[in-house]
Amino acid sequence: MDKLREECGLVGICSPHYQPLGTKIYDALMSVQHRGQEAAGIAAYHEGVMTYFKNTGLASEVFHQENLRPLNGSIGIGHVRYSTTGSQERKNAQPLVVDFKGGSMALVHNGNLINAVSIREELIDEGHSFTTTIDSEIIVRLLSKNYKNNGIEALIQTLRQIQGGFALILILDGKMYGVRDPNALRPLVMGRTKNDEIVFASETCTLDLLEAEFIRDIDKGEIVEVDGCDYRSYYYDDSKRRAMCAFEYVYFSRPDSRQEGRSVYEARVKMGELLAKKDRGEYDLVAPVPDSGIPAAVGFANASGLPYTHVLIKNKYIGRTFMDPTQEERERLLRLKLGILKETVKDKRVLLVDDSIVRGTTMKRLVERIKGAGAKEVHVRICSPPIKYSCYFGIDTPLKKALIGANYEIERIAQHIGADSLMYLELDDLIEAIGLPQDCLCCACFDGNYPMEVPKVQSRYVFEKY
Ligand code: AMP
């Protein structure tokens, strides 16, 4: 079974010179590894020749010196794909590389197209064939079909046919292209290194790693074309409102990144501060669920004056684990991932901070374990409002029926997770913490206000039939 929703990390480097690019792109992929652990891949291009390697696994499992060595050129792009319960097949790894009438093309894609199924059916009816089950392949097929003698024209035509949230990096016509969807739902930033290389990446932490100076975020509905060390911009659709994904600030982006000019870390600290300001309860200590709850717990502790401490210790060396989606296996995974400081929690009123509750299973087990270790009370604070609606634009939220926030009142959720109390951040406070105007953000997972019409029937495994 394949999931339609894809959370991914993208990187791209265009250099004025031919150079070994494999290791550089590999390093860049490591900096976005948190965005996807299922598969990794790199394509490098020089004067009509495309070399690439991709496979399932973490970047460090997929790549080694021998397969990085041939990845030389003047343009390189890379991709990491999120680990899901869906297909982990190698065929679905990216970059997607094809030879077509315009030469060799490579594409990496983060996000989700909401009209992928209908386009795919049309293309199949016309006699096109597909080798993967991911929606990204539709972009490649449309590009080949639309190509007359010029990449940018085909790209503009293609982008006007697809709908959804997406960030793309392409190698096309011997140039590198960076693209963001018309609402700027999925992130993509741009920078320049000391050696005059232009870099595209999902997050600014990649620019820091490559010692590249931040130029700017790619704009909504914008294509940036990079040729050598020069770039120019095209707008293919400027009719939509900006709607940057609020969940990037809550959970997905690395805290040392900036998205749309806002520091992710500072936004999370502020989320914790705003939560603390509305909290009148009495506790002995504030502790994060590592790593996602750390900045907000710092903010909560700062604003409340309560001592910040750790009660959960994360095993950093777990990497990927092999598990069946059974209850027992999930518990095994959580015990592998997190240990408990029994002495710290004994007889204490613990205030536990995390970024979000999706299904509620993780938090239920954590509360159980902290209480099992001797805590007197466990109070849970969440730095985002209840997730009530599925995401159609690239964040992996389950179907509505599995979202605990969509189906139960807060009091019932508190009972379910076994917490002595539960508080969520209110939407207004989340927006204040992010620091962008509400009409520039997509908060649809919290308020159902989607920036475009979304499919009425939720079908996440639509590609299964192919
Ligand atoms: P659960 O409530 O058990 O489904 O899981 C909630 C936890 O998963 C939270 O602590 C988040 O840190 C993490 N989380 C939230 N959203 C996502 C996502 N889209 N992909 C992976 N993990 C997530």
mmCIF file of all heavy atoms in Angstrom, residues 7 82 247 251-252 289 292-293 354-363 365 387 395-398 404, ligand 1:
data_model
loop_
_atom_site.group_PDB
_atom_site.id
_atom_site.type_symbol
_atom_site.label_atom_id
_atom_site.label_comp_id
_atom_site.label_asym_id
_atom_site.label_seq_id
_atom_site.Cartn_x
_atom_site.Cartn_y
_atom_site.Cartn_z
ATOM 1 N N GLU A 7 5.986 13.361 3.284
ATOM 2 C CA GLU A 7 6.764 14.381 3.963
ATOM 3 C C GLU A 7 8.185 14.121 3.540
ATOM 4 O O GLU A 7 8.655 13.000 3.634
ATOM 5 C CB GLU A 7 6.654 14.224 5.472
ATOM 6 C CG GLU A 7 5.282 14.573 5.984
ATOM 7 C CD GLU A 7 5.097 14.181 7.433
ATOM 8 O OE1 GLU A 7 6.083 13.815 8.086
ATOM 9 O OE2 GLU A 7 3.969 14.241 7.893
ATOM 10 N N TYR A 82 9.923 10.380 3.952
ATOM 11 C CA TYR A 82 9.427 10.051 5.283
ATOM 12 C C TYR A 82 9.108 8.566 5.435
ATOM 13 O O TYR A 82 8.584 7.937 4.526
ATOM 14 C CB TYR A 82 8.181 10.886 5.537
ATOM 15 C CG TYR A 82 7.593 10.718 6.904
ATOM 16 C CD1 TYR A 82 8.358 11.012 8.021
ATOM 17 C CD2 TYR A 82 6.303 10.283 7.089
ATOM 18 C CE1 TYR A 82 7.836 10.871 9.287
ATOM 19 C CE2 TYR A 82 5.758 10.148 8.347
ATOM 20 C CZ TYR A 82 6.537 10.445 9.446
ATOM 21 O OH TYR A 82 6.007 10.310 10.690
ATOM 22 N N PHE A 247 2.185 23.806 10.838
ATOM 23 C CA PHE A 247 2.736 22.612 11.499
ATOM 24 C C PHE A 247 4.255 22.506 11.327
ATOM 25 O O PHE A 247 4.922 21.833 12.096
ATOM 26 C CB PHE A 247 2.033 21.351 10.983
ATOM 27 C CG PHE A 247 1.998 20.254 12.014
ATOM 28 C CD1 PHE A 247 1.237 20.395 13.162
ATOM 29 C CD2 PHE A 247 2.726 19.095 11.841
ATOM 30 C CE1 PHE A 247 1.212 19.393 14.122
ATOM 31 C CE2 PHE A 247 2.703 18.083 12.800
ATOM 32 C CZ PHE A 247 1.943 18.236 13.938
ATOM 33 N N TYR A 251 6.075 21.301 14.658
ATOM 34 C CA TYR A 251 6.739 20.009 14.761
ATOM 35 C C TYR A 251 7.805 19.743 13.702
ATOM 36 O O TYR A 251 8.874 19.230 14.007
ATOM 37 C CB TYR A 251 5.689 18.887 14.687
ATOM 38 C CG TYR A 251 6.287 17.510 14.561
ATOM 39 C CD1 TYR A 251 6.839 16.885 15.679
ATOM 40 C CD2 TYR A 251 6.319 16.840 13.343
ATOM 41 C CE1 TYR A 251 7.409 15.626 15.570
ATOM 42 C CE2 TYR A 251 6.885 15.579 13.235
ATOM 43 C CZ TYR A 251 7.428 14.976 14.349
ATOM 44 O OH TYR A 251 7.992 13.745 14.240
ATOM 45 N N PHE A 252 7.477 20.092 12.449
ATOM 46 C CA PHE A 252 8.234 19.437 11.392
ATOM 47 C C PHE A 252 9.633 19.988 11.157
ATOM 48 O O PHE A 252 10.587 19.234 10.989
ATOM 49 C CB PHE A 252 7.401 19.450 10.098
ATOM 50 C CG PHE A 252 7.652 18.211 9.318
ATOM 51 C CD1 PHE A 252 7.445 16.979 9.897
ATOM 52 C CD2 PHE A 252 8.150 18.273 8.035
ATOM 53 C CE1 PHE A 252 7.728 15.824 9.210
ATOM 54 C CE2 PHE A 252 8.431 17.120 7.341
ATOM 55 C CZ PHE A 252 8.212 15.889 7.929
ATOM 56 N N VAL A 289 8.882 16.375 26.332
ATOM 57 C CA VAL A 289 9.011 15.099 25.635
ATOM 58 C C VAL A 289 10.115 15.355 24.587
ATOM 59 O O VAL A 289 9.935 16.212 23.730
ATOM 60 C CB VAL A 289 7.695 14.689 24.934
ATOM 61 C CG1 VAL A 289 7.901 13.421 24.119
ATOM 62 C CG2 VAL A 289 6.591 14.513 25.951
ATOM 63 N N SER A 292 10.873 16.900 20.493
ATOM 64 C CA SER A 292 9.904 17.856 19.950
ATOM 65 C C SER A 292 9.370 18.850 20.982
ATOM 66 O O SER A 292 8.984 19.955 20.639
ATOM 67 C CB SER A 292 8.750 17.105 19.297
ATOM 68 O OG SER A 292 8.238 16.141 20.190
ATOM 69 N N GLY A 293 9.385 18.479 22.268
ATOM 70 C CA GLY A 293 8.814 19.376 23.276
ATOM 71 C C GLY A 293 9.831 20.292 23.938
ATOM 72 O O GLY A 293 9.458 21.115 24.789
ATOM 73 N N ASP A 354 4.679 18.660 25.227
ATOM 74 C CA ASP A 354 4.973 18.111 23.895
ATOM 75 C C ASP A 354 4.360 19.001 22.824
ATOM 76 O O ASP A 354 3.549 19.882 23.124
ATOM 77 C CB ASP A 354 4.471 16.668 23.768
ATOM 78 C CG ASP A 354 5.218 15.914 22.657
ATOM 79 O OD1 ASP A 354 6.142 16.490 22.051
ATOM 80 O OD2 ASP A 354 4.868 14.745 22.390
ATOM 81 N N ASP A 355 4.740 18.740 21.567
ATOM 82 C CA ASP A 355 4.287 19.616 20.486
ATOM 83 C C ASP A 355 2.852 19.343 20.074
ATOM 84 O O ASP A 355 2.093 20.263 19.797
ATOM 85 C CB ASP A 355 5.212 19.476 19.272
ATOM 86 C CG ASP A 355 5.152 18.087 18.700
ATOM 87 O OD1 ASP A 355 5.694 17.161 19.343
ATOM 88 O OD2 ASP A 355 4.545 17.890 17.639
ATOM 89 N N SER A 356 2.482 18.065 19.980
ATOM 90 C CA SER A 356 1.152 17.756 19.445
ATOM 91 C C SER A 356 0.710 16.372 19.890
ATOM 92 O O SER A 356 1.525 15.545 20.274
ATOM 93 C CB SER A 356 1.178 17.802 17.907
ATOM 94 O OG SER A 356 2.128 16.878 17.424
ATOM 95 N N ILE A 357 -0.609 16.177 19.833
ATOM 96 C CA ILE A 357 -1.159 14.826 20.025
ATOM 97 C C ILE A 357 -1.868 14.486 18.722
ATOM 98 O O ILE A 357 -2.699 15.275 18.250
ATOM 99 C CB ILE A 357 -2.154 14.772 21.202
ATOM 100 C CG1 ILE A 357 -1.426 15.057 22.530
ATOM 101 C CG2 ILE A 357 -2.848 13.413 21.261
ATOM 102 C CD1 ILE A 357 -2.343 15.015 23.763
ATOM 103 N N VAL A 358 -1.504 13.375 18.122
ATOM 104 C CA VAL A 358 -2.127 12.999 16.854
ATOM 105 C C VAL A 358 -3.168 11.901 17.144
ATOM 106 O O VAL A 358 -4.360 12.155 17.216
ATOM 107 C CB VAL A 358 -1.069 12.554 15.821
ATOM 108 C CG1 VAL A 358 -1.740 12.238 14.493
ATOM 109 C CG2 VAL A 358 -0.012 13.636 15.623
ATOM 110 N N ARG A 359 -2.689 10.703 17.367
ATOM 111 C CA ARG A 359 -3.622 9.605 17.718
ATOM 112 C C ARG A 359 -3.797 9.481 19.227
ATOM 113 O O ARG A 359 -4.731 8.864 19.706
ATOM 114 C CB ARG A 359 -3.097 8.280 17.176
ATOM 115 C CG ARG A 359 -3.072 8.209 15.679
ATOM 116 C CD ARG A 359 -2.418 6.902 15.237
ATOM 117 N NE ARG A 359 -2.261 6.873 13.804
ATOM 118 C CZ ARG A 359 -1.284 7.469 13.150
ATOM 119 N NH1 ARG A 359 -0.373 8.168 13.803
ATOM 120 N NH2 ARG A 359 -1.200 7.393 11.838
ATOM 121 N N GLY A 360 -2.812 9.997 19.965
ATOM 122 C CA GLY A 360 -2.875 9.943 21.427
ATOM 123 C C GLY A 360 -2.173 8.736 22.013
ATOM 124 O O GLY A 360 -2.096 8.597 23.233
ATOM 125 N N THR A 361 -1.634 7.880 21.163
ATOM 126 C CA THR A 361 -1.034 6.647 21.684
ATOM 127 C C THR A 361 0.296 6.910 22.392
ATOM 128 O O THR A 361 0.550 6.351 23.452
ATOM 129 C CB THR A 361 -0.835 5.623 20.554
ATOM 130 O OG1 THR A 361 -0.383 6.314 19.409
ATOM 131 C CG2 THR A 361 -2.110 4.906 20.213
ATOM 132 N N THR A 362 1.122 7.796 21.818
ATOM 133 C CA THR A 362 2.435 8.050 22.422
ATOM 134 C C THR A 362 2.261 8.633 23.822
ATOM 135 O O THR A 362 2.876 8.173 24.788
ATOM 136 C CB THR A 362 3.234 9.069 21.565
ATOM 137 O OG1 THR A 362 3.169 8.644 20.215
ATOM 138 C CG2 THR A 362 4.662 9.195 22.008
ATOM 139 N N MET A 363 1.417 9.655 23.912
ATOM 140 C CA MET A 363 1.258 10.344 25.190
ATOM 141 C C MET A 363 0.663 9.425 26.253
ATOM 142 O O MET A 363 1.067 9.455 27.409
ATOM 143 C CB MET A 363 0.396 11.591 24.973
ATOM 144 C CG MET A 363 0.436 12.551 26.109
ATOM 145 S SD MET A 363 2.110 12.941 26.681
ATOM 146 C CE MET A 363 2.493 14.364 25.712
ATOM 147 N N ARG A 365 1.090 6.263 26.603
ATOM 148 C CA ARG A 365 2.147 5.380 27.134
ATOM 149 C C ARG A 365 3.144 6.139 27.991
ATOM 150 O O ARG A 365 3.629 5.630 28.996
ATOM 151 C CB ARG A 365 2.865 4.683 25.995
ATOM 152 C CG ARG A 365 1.997 3.618 25.460
ATOM 153 C CD ARG A 365 2.685 2.723 24.481
ATOM 154 N NE ARG A 365 1.608 2.154 23.706
ATOM 155 C CZ ARG A 365 1.325 2.486 22.470
ATOM 156 N NH1 ARG A 365 2.087 3.330 21.830
ATOM 157 N NH2 ARG A 365 0.308 1.944 21.849
ATOM 158 N N ILE A 387 -5.509 18.582 16.911
ATOM 159 C CA ILE A 387 -5.519 18.339 15.456
ATOM 160 C C ILE A 387 -6.853 17.679 15.131
ATOM 161 O O ILE A 387 -7.133 16.564 15.582
ATOM 162 C CB ILE A 387 -4.338 17.443 15.030
ATOM 163 C CG1 ILE A 387 -3.021 18.120 15.412
ATOM 164 C CG2 ILE A 387 -4.387 17.146 13.532
ATOM 165 C CD1 ILE A 387 -1.801 17.315 15.089
ATOM 166 N N ILE A 395 1.597 16.890 5.081
ATOM 167 C CA ILE A 395 1.952 16.459 6.442
ATOM 168 C C ILE A 395 1.180 15.182 6.726
ATOM 169 O O ILE A 395 0.003 15.069 6.406
ATOM 170 C CB ILE A 395 1.603 17.546 7.495
ATOM 171 C CG1 ILE A 395 2.491 18.778 7.313
ATOM 172 C CG2 ILE A 395 1.719 17.007 8.914
ATOM 173 C CD1 ILE A 395 3.911 18.670 7.803
ATOM 174 N N ASP A 396 1.877 14.239 7.334
ATOM 175 C CA ASP A 396 1.268 12.938 7.542
ATOM 176 C C ASP A 396 0.348 12.942 8.757
ATOM 177 O O ASP A 396 0.739 12.555 9.844
ATOM 178 C CB ASP A 396 2.376 11.890 7.721
ATOM 179 C CG ASP A 396 1.798 10.534 8.032
ATOM 180 O OD1 ASP A 396 0.729 10.211 7.487
ATOM 181 O OD2 ASP A 396 2.406 9.809 8.829
ATOM 182 N N THR A 397 -0.873 13.431 8.565
ATOM 183 C CA THR A 397 -1.874 13.266 9.629
ATOM 184 C C THR A 397 -2.802 12.151 9.177
ATOM 185 O O THR A 397 -3.136 12.056 8.001
ATOM 186 C CB THR A 397 -2.703 14.549 9.857
ATOM 187 O OG1 THR A 397 -3.056 15.085 8.600
ATOM 188 C CG2 THR A 397 -1.945 15.572 10.649
ATOM 189 N N PRO A 398 -3.212 11.292 10.109
ATOM 190 C CA PRO A 398 -4.055 10.173 9.682
ATOM 191 C C PRO A 398 -5.451 10.650 9.295
ATOM 192 O O PRO A 398 -5.776 11.821 9.423
ATOM 193 C CB PRO A 398 -4.106 9.295 10.926
ATOM 194 C CG PRO A 398 -3.779 10.178 12.060
ATOM 195 C CD PRO A 398 -2.934 11.290 11.537
ATOM 196 N N ILE A 404 -7.451 11.785 17.478
ATOM 197 C CA ILE A 404 -8.175 11.819 18.758
ATOM 198 C C ILE A 404 -8.822 13.188 18.987
ATOM 199 O O ILE A 404 -9.942 13.279 19.493
ATOM 200 C CB ILE A 404 -7.243 11.374 19.926
ATOM 201 C CG1 ILE A 404 -8.069 11.061 21.170
ATOM 202 C CG2 ILE A 404 -6.157 12.383 20.229
ATOM 203 C CD1 ILE A 404 -7.326 10.261 22.214
HETATM 204 P P1 AMP B 1 0.493 10.078 18.492
HETATM 205 O O1 AMP B 1 -0.398 11.027 19.253
HETATM 206 O O2 AMP B 1 0.845 8.859 19.261
HETATM 207 O O3 AMP B 1 -0.081 9.734 17.146
HETATM 208 O O4 AMP B 1 1.881 10.802 18.196
HETATM 209 C C1 AMP B 1 2.123 12.118 18.536
HETATM 210 C C2 AMP B 1 3.601 12.400 18.443
HETATM 211 O O5 AMP B 1 4.044 12.224 17.087
HETATM 212 C C3 AMP B 1 3.880 13.830 18.827
HETATM 213 O O6 AMP B 1 4.616 13.803 20.010
HETATM 214 C C4 AMP B 1 4.688 14.411 17.706
HETATM 215 O O7 AMP B 1 5.984 14.763 18.192
HETATM 216 C C5 AMP B 1 4.814 13.338 16.678
HETATM 217 N N1 AMP B 1 4.231 13.796 15.410
HETATM 218 C C6 AMP B 1 3.300 14.718 15.222
HETATM 219 N N2 AMP B 1 2.996 14.848 13.917
HETATM 220 C C7 AMP B 1 3.768 13.991 13.257
HETATM 221 C C8 AMP B 1 3.937 13.677 11.896
HETATM 222 N N3 AMP B 1 3.230 14.286 10.946
HETATM 223 N N4 AMP B 1 4.835 12.736 11.572
HETATM 224 C C9 AMP B 1 5.530 12.103 12.541
HETATM 225 N N5 AMP B 1 5.427 12.365 13.853
HETATM 226 C C10 AMP B 1 4.556 13.297 14.214
#
